[in-house]
Structure formats: structure tokens, C-alpha cells
Amino acid sequence: MPTRRTALAGLAATAALPATAASPALGDAERALAARAAAWLETLGEARGDFVQTDSRGRVSRGEVFLRRPGQARFAYAPPSSLLVVADGANVSVSDPRLKTFERYPLAATPLSLFLSRRIRLDGDARVTAVRRTASGFEVTARDVRRANEGQIALAFSESPLTLAGWTITDAQGRSTRVQLEGLRAVSGLPSSLFVLEDPRPRAPGRGKL
């Protein structure tokens, strides 16, 4: 069963990583793959599919994902968890109905911003540190150069046709959370309500805004 921490690790937060040495320069073939990835992400408008999340202990959780670029996403975990993670274009909100908790973070401070931004720049603040071929396609690893000690995300792409297959985030202790996308497909007409998540808790007198 996913916890709020593993949901954040997998979908909505970067974990601190130890400082690493500068990555070697990418070759022409690697740069070309990174450019293909960025170009494909920029063409992605609305999409939906399923996801499978595996945390560092091997615990598996599932759910449904909705994307609307730029800036919007919804990850709805299947019961018994029923977690909701929603990016509304400015913030990422996480609601846990079992624990009756609600958290909100700036979208720019999460790895979701890497592929939800209007323009995908894999040579700017989001710096590609590695590109490698895989059995089904290739993987692009990037980190935010503005935060030298913060986390990195490895985006996996499958080919024929080219599509985002998932991502992996690794924390400072070497623990990885992997999210695999299944059946991700372009759609149109997703309702705007999917990308709105208000704090469901009753507002107590005098409680400040999050």
C-alpha cells in the first residue's frame, strides 16, 4: 500500500541527493536522443493511461493518470489507498483520505515540472546528466542545476512509436521509486475539474491557508 511519502517520492517531490561530480559531456548520439525526448514532450497535449508505482521495498501500487500540458496532471491511486496527486499548473497538491492529510508544493520544485513545462529545456536549468539505450528504447537522466544537492529523475522512453514510458527517482540513501506508465494515449476534452484539488478537510476557526 503506498504511503504519502512514497507517493511524493514517485510523483511529486525530489529527494535530496549527495553532491556528485560533474557528468561527462554527452556525445552526439546521446544529445540527439535527448532532443527527440524534449521534442516529443512538447507535442504532448492531453493524455491518459494507467501507472504502476514500485517503491524501494518492492511495494506496488496502481492508479490512473491524466495529463494536460502545460502544467496539469492528476494521479489517482486505486483503493485501498485512494491517494490523489494533482498538479494544477502552479502547485502540486496531495490528498490522503485515509490519514485525512493535505499537502501542497510549488510545481516548479517537483520533477513533474520537467515534463509539464510549456517549453522542455534539457540543456538549461534541467540539465541532462546521462542518456542510455534500453531494451525497449532509451532513458534520459536529468537534474535541476539550480539545486546542486537535490534529486534527479530518469525519464524512460519507448520507441516505435516514441512515448513516455515512466520515470525513476532516487533519494540520498540510494532508494529508488519507479513509476511505469501503461497504455498512455493522446485524448481530447479532459474536464478542467480533473486538475483542481481543494483541501477536503473542514476549515477550523482561525486555521491559516496552506
Side-chain angles (χ1 to χ4, degrees):
M1 180 183 301
T3 64
R4 183 165 53 88
R5 188 199 68 79
T6 57
L8 291 174
L11 301 175
T14 48
L17 290 170
T20 55
S23 300
L26 300 178
D28 290 342
E30 294 167 322
R31 290 181 181 277
L33 286 177
R36 284 186 64 201
W40 183 87
L41 288 171
E42 287 192 343
T43 65
L44 181 65
E46 296 185 355
R48 69 182 298 175
D50 299 308
F51 70 87
V52 179
Q53 178 179 295
T54 306
D55 69 13
S56 60
R57 297 182 181 181
R59 295 175 297 192
V60 176
S61 52
R62 298 175 180 273
E64 191 171 13
V65 57
F66 303 86
L67 302 175
R68 185 163 72 180
R69 296 188 65 259
Q72 297 179 318
R74 180 185 182 94
F75 297 88
Y77 284 76
S81 168
S82 300
L83 280 170
L84 278 177
V85 179
V86 174
D88 62 12
N91 298 295
V92 176
S93 300
V94 183
S95 177
D96 186 336
R98 292 185 306 111
L99 299 179
K100 298 181 180 180
T101 58
F102 183 86
E103 308 263 2
R104 182 167 284 159
Y105 306 88
L107 175 60
T110 76
L112 291 176
S113 63
L114 179 62
F115 57 89
L116 290 179
S117 300
R118 185 178 299 276
R119 292 196 61 196
I120 307 298
R121 291 290 305 275
L122 296 180
D123 58 351
D125 290 335
R127 183 68 52 80
V128 173
T129 59
V131 179
R132 69 179 185 90
R133 282 284 185 182
T134 63
S136 59
F138 60 95
E139 185 176 81
V140 178
T141 300
R143 65 182 178 88
D144 190 339
V145 298
R146 297 168 299 180
R147 303 175 177 90
N149 294 327
E150 289 190 0
Q152 65 181 19
I153 182 172
L155 295 172
F157 292 84
S158 58
E159 294 188 288
S160 301
L162 182 65
T163 188
L164 179 65
W167 56 86
T168 301
I169 296 173
T170 305
D171 69 15
Q173 287 74 42
R175 298 174 301 195
S176 295
T177 298
R178 182 184 183 191
V179 174
Q180 296 171 272
L181 300 178
E182 298 181 341
L184 187 68
R185 58 198 182 278
V187 296
S188 61
L190 291 177
S192 296
S193 58
L194 285 174
F195 310 106
V196 177
L197 183 58
E198 300 294 342
D199 189 344
R201 300 172 300 176
R203 181 172 294 278
R207 195 182 86 200
K209 295 182 179 180
L210 289 178

